[in-house]
């Protein structure tokens, strides 16, 4: 039957050329969109290296010095850092709070607040980030050790005034996390004149900036001791970021309103006051907005192309069915069953799709080779990416072809041979 279908399609090549070109062109564009979605999905599905679920940013602010409410007493002005630590302890004892931590303003997930650093080991050099955190940070954001263990080793390293590097740094400079343990690495922080040799106390799991970023090099260093903060001025609060992890059973839609109303007075001490409580999911959504918009655009493009395929297929095969009614009636009169007529028309559509899809494969493979397609920092095997895109595209167009042919083929199957031949 396939040989007869090929002969028939060749004999009707002038009438099939438009649907052939439509299928070939739409396959390329649809493949491009499907490939972009595949790349974004692969990037999105990888582990982040931290967890922001049930985590909130507690934004504290300081009273301006020119304000009438500004407390000029030394205990709140010159040693306002002690007030900050008191507020941290109050949050830690709240019944709905599981844990609390603070970082410097140069480390805030999903906010592009960074300080860069250069890592050196012999002749190897990599750029990355420096992150000032207190040891509780690893518990609040549930950062695991490189071996998948709990964050205890990471916290102990910071308490011993050692640094914690990510697995990306360990793999690049030492081969793996176990070889990096207790070794020294040379790091130059942004703005520093000289490099410093740091002892690696622990290695964390690999981390990346967001769901659509590659794993990056970074290291964590202690933000400072409580004793040092107690002697600092109130202005130090402007450079700190306070985070809490809420117990899962207490985190609900009205948590922020209830927590703010309950803690406004308790978090007012000296010249420090509670300004806002914001879920980390808010910052995540804001940062990923552009990527989400691109994904929506690709989905819209896919729907548009599929609609074109559907309308083109159903229109073409409806017209061809009407034009070939005599042929269909003759086939049925010669003994062809209704099922054979239905299968024959279906086979024609899929053979036409297969013929049109062959040049689409070469075109898209060439586009991928020329790096015209969606770019990603993640290393994805080209062959696997090509085959996956081909499967997704062929599957979606195949469904539209089946839907587009289904109704005309059903109508052809219901034709009465005697009536058809009589009309002819």
């Amino acid at each position: 039957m396939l040989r007869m279908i090929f002969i028939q399609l060749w004999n009707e090549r002038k009438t099939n050329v438009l649907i052939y070109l439509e299928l070939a062109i739409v396959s390329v564009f649809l493949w491009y969109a499907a490939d972009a979605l595949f790349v974004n999905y692969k990037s999105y599905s990888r582990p982040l290296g931290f967890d922001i679920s049930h985590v909130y940013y507690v934004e504290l602010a300081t009273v301006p010095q020119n304000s009438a409410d500004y407390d000029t007493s030394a205990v709140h002005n010159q040693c306002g850092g002690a007030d900050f630590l008191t507020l941290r302890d109050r949050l830690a004892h709240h019944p709905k709070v599981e844990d609390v931590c603070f970082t410097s303003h140069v480390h805030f997930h999903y906010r592009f607040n960074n300080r860069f650093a250069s890592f050196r080991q012999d002749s190897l050099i990599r750029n990355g980030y420096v992150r000032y955190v207190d040891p509780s940070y690893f518990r609040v954001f549930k950062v695991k050790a490189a071996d998948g263990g709990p964050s205890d080793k990471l916290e102990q390293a910071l308490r011993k005034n050692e640094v914690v590097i990510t697995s990306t740094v360990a793999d690049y400079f030492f081969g793996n996390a176990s070889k990096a343990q207790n070794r020294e690495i040379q790091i130059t922080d942004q703005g520093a004149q000289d490099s410093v040799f740091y002892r690696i106390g622990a290695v964390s799991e690999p981390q990346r900036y967001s769901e659509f970023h590659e794993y990056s090099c970074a290291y964590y260093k202690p933000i400072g001791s409580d004793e040092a903060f107690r002697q600092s001025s109130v202005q130090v609060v402007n450079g700190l970021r306070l985070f809490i992890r809420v117990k899962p059973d207490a985190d609900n839609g009205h948590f922020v309103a209830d927590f703010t109303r309950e803690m406004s007075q308790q978090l007012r001490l000296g010249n420090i006051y509670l300004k806002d409580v914001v879920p980390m999911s808010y910052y995540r959504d804001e940062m990923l907005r552009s990527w989400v918009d691109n994904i929506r655009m690709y989905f819209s493009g896919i729907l548009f192309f599929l609609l074109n395929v559907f309308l083109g297929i159903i229109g073409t095969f409806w017209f061809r069915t009407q034009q070939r009614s005599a042929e269909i009636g003759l086939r049925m009169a010669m003994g062809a069953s209704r099922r054979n007529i239905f299968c024959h028309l279906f086979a024609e559509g899929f053979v036409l799709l297969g013929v049109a899809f062959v040049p689409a494969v070469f075109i898209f493979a060439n586009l991928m080779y020329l790096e015209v397609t969606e770019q990603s920092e993640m290393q994805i095997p080209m062959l696997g990416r090509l085959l996956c895109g081909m499967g997704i595209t062929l599957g979606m167009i195949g469904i539209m072809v089946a839907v587009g042919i289904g109704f005309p083929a059903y109508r052809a199957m219901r034709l009465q041979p005697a009536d058809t031949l009589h009309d002819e």
Side-chain angles (χ1 to χ4, degrees):
M1 185 176 72
L2 286 177
R3 181 173 178 274
M4 182 177 61
I5 290 175
F6 275 110
I7 294 174
Q8 186 172 1
L9 291 177
W10 174 255
N11 293 333
E12 299 174 355
R13 58 187 179 277
K14 292 184 179 179
T15 58
N16 290 330
V17 65
L18 292 180
I19 191 66
Y20 173 84
L21 290 176
E22 179 188 11
L23 288 174
I25 295 172
V26 168
S27 295
V28 173
F29 282 100
L30 189 60
W31 199 334
Y32 183 91
D35 176 76
L37 290 178
F38 171 74
V39 171
N40 283 301
Y41 169 75
K42 292 290 288 184
S43 178
Y44 182 87
S45 60
R46 292 182 301 165
L48 282 170
F50 59 91
D51 180 14
I52 64 167
S53 60
H54 311 300
V55 177
Y56 289 80
Y57 168 48
V58 180
E59 185 176 2
L60 301 178
T62 56
V63 178
Q65 293 186 6
N66 57 1
S67 172
D69 295 333
Y70 188 79
D71 191 337
T72 58
S73 59
V75 67
H76 294 303
N77 182 18
Q78 299 177 8
C79 299
D83 293 339
F84 173 80
L85 296 178
T86 301
L87 298 181
R88 179 200 63 180
D89 294 338
R90 289 179 181 177
L91 285 171
H93 288 91
H94 192 280
K96 294 183 179 180
V97 174
E98 183 177 299
D99 222 321
V100 60
C101 74
F102 62 96
T103 70
S104 71
H105 69 283
V106 297
H107 179 44
F108 196 123
H109 290 292
Y110 297 110
R111 288 291 300 273
F112 288 119
N113 291 349
N114 298 302
R115 176 171 291 176
F116 298 96
S118 297
F119 300 83
R120 291 180 172 84
Q121 186 72 9
D122 298 329
S123 60
L124 300 177
I125 300 177
R126 285 290 297 271
N127 293 324
Y129 306 104
V130 53
R131 295 166 175 171
Y132 298 89
V133 299
D134 80 317
S136 300
Y137 161 84
F138 300 109
R139 292 200 308 270
V140 172
F141 287 91
K142 294 190 178 300
V143 180
K144 300 177 183 178
D147 58 2
S151 60
D152 298 348
K153 295 180 180 179
L154 311 180
E155 297 177 44
Q156 292 172 7
L158 291 191
R159 290 194 173 95
K160 292 189 296 184
N161 208 31
E162 297 174 335
V163 300
V164 175
I165 63 173
T166 62
S167 294
T168 309
V169 179
D171 294 342
Y172 184 80
F173 289 100
F174 303 101
N176 56 54
S178 59
K179 293 181 180 179
Q181 191 76 30
N182 298 323
R183 297 281 296 276
E184 286 191 343
I185 187 170
Q186 185 180 2
I187 305 175
T188 307
D189 291 342
Q190 180 183 1
Q193 296 296 324
D194 301 318
S195 300
V196 178
F197 284 89
Y198 292 98
R199 181 180 177 84
I200 301 172
V203 181
S204 74
E205 60 182 323
Q207 289 192 331
R208 53 202 185 111
Y209 213 88
S210 77
E211 284 79 354
F212 297 104
H213 282 88
E214 183 55 83
Y215 290 112
S216 55
C217 293
Y219 83 105
Y220 295 91
K221 63 192 304 185
I223 193 171
S225 64
D226 288 358
E227 291 73 16
F229 278 113
R230 288 191 178 93
Q231 303 302 319
S232 59
S233 69
V234 70
Q235 299 305 320
V236 73
V237 178
N238 296 325
L240 300 177
R241 302 292 180 262
L242 191 62
F243 302 92
I244 59 173
R245 172 169 286 277
V246 179
K247 295 178 180 178
D249 57 348
D251 193 7
N252 49 49
H254 50 83
F255 168 78
V256 173
D258 294 344
F259 185 84
T260 303
R261 182 175 59 255
E262 179 184 351
M263 296 297 294
S264 291
Q265 293 299 322
Q266 296 188 45
L267 296 182
R268 176 69 167 89
L269 182 61
N271 292 310
I272 306 174
Y273 65 94
L274 175 64
K275 184 177 181 181
D276 201 0
V277 179
V278 185
M280 287 299 297
S281 57
Y282 168 80
Y283 299 107
R284 174 184 177 275
D285 294 342
E286 286 295 309
M287 183 178 184
L288 301 185
R289 190 181 302 276
S290 61
W291 281 283
V292 173
D293 289 342
N294 284 336
I295 291 174
R296 287 174 178 167
M297 180 187 67
Y298 287 128
F299 269 117
S300 300
I302 287 175
L303 292 177
F304 173 77
F305 291 133
L306 290 178
L307 180 62
N308 274 272
V309 171
F310 173 73
L311 294 177
I313 289 292
I314 194 171
T316 300
F317 276 84
W318 196 316
F319 176 77
R320 290 178 60 180
T321 302
Q322 298 298 323
Q323 294 294 313
R324 298 166 59 188
S325 58
E327 174 193 336
I328 295 172
L330 181 59
R331 286 177 180 273
M332 296 176 72
M334 296 296 294
S337 66
R338 298 182 186 276
R339 182 179 179 182
N340 288 338
I341 297 298
F342 187 84
C343 294
H344 182 86
L345 293 176
F346 248 81
E348 280 188 23
F350 281 100
V351 168
L352 189 61
L353 172 61
V355 173
F357 202 74
V358 171
V361 173
F362 289 100
I363 293 173
F364 194 81
N366 193 45
L367 292 176
M368 186 177 292
Y369 177 76
L370 296 175
E371 298 184 350
V372 179
T373 55
E374 182 81 2
Q375 299 301 307
S376 173
E377 298 174 345
M378 178 178 54
Q379 298 298 320
I380 303 177
M382 182 176 292
L383 180 60
R385 180 175 170 182
L386 188 68
L387 292 176
C388 185
M390 181 177 67
I392 295 174
T393 305
L394 194 57
M396 288 189 293
I397 296 185
I399 293 173
M400 287 298 101
V401 169
V403 174
I405 295 175
F407 188 66
Y410 178 78
R411 284 179 57 88
M413 184 180 70
R414 306 304 299 175
L415 290 176
Q416 296 298 326
D419 295 338
T420 304
L421 295 176
H422 176 72
D423 291 339
E424 289 297 326

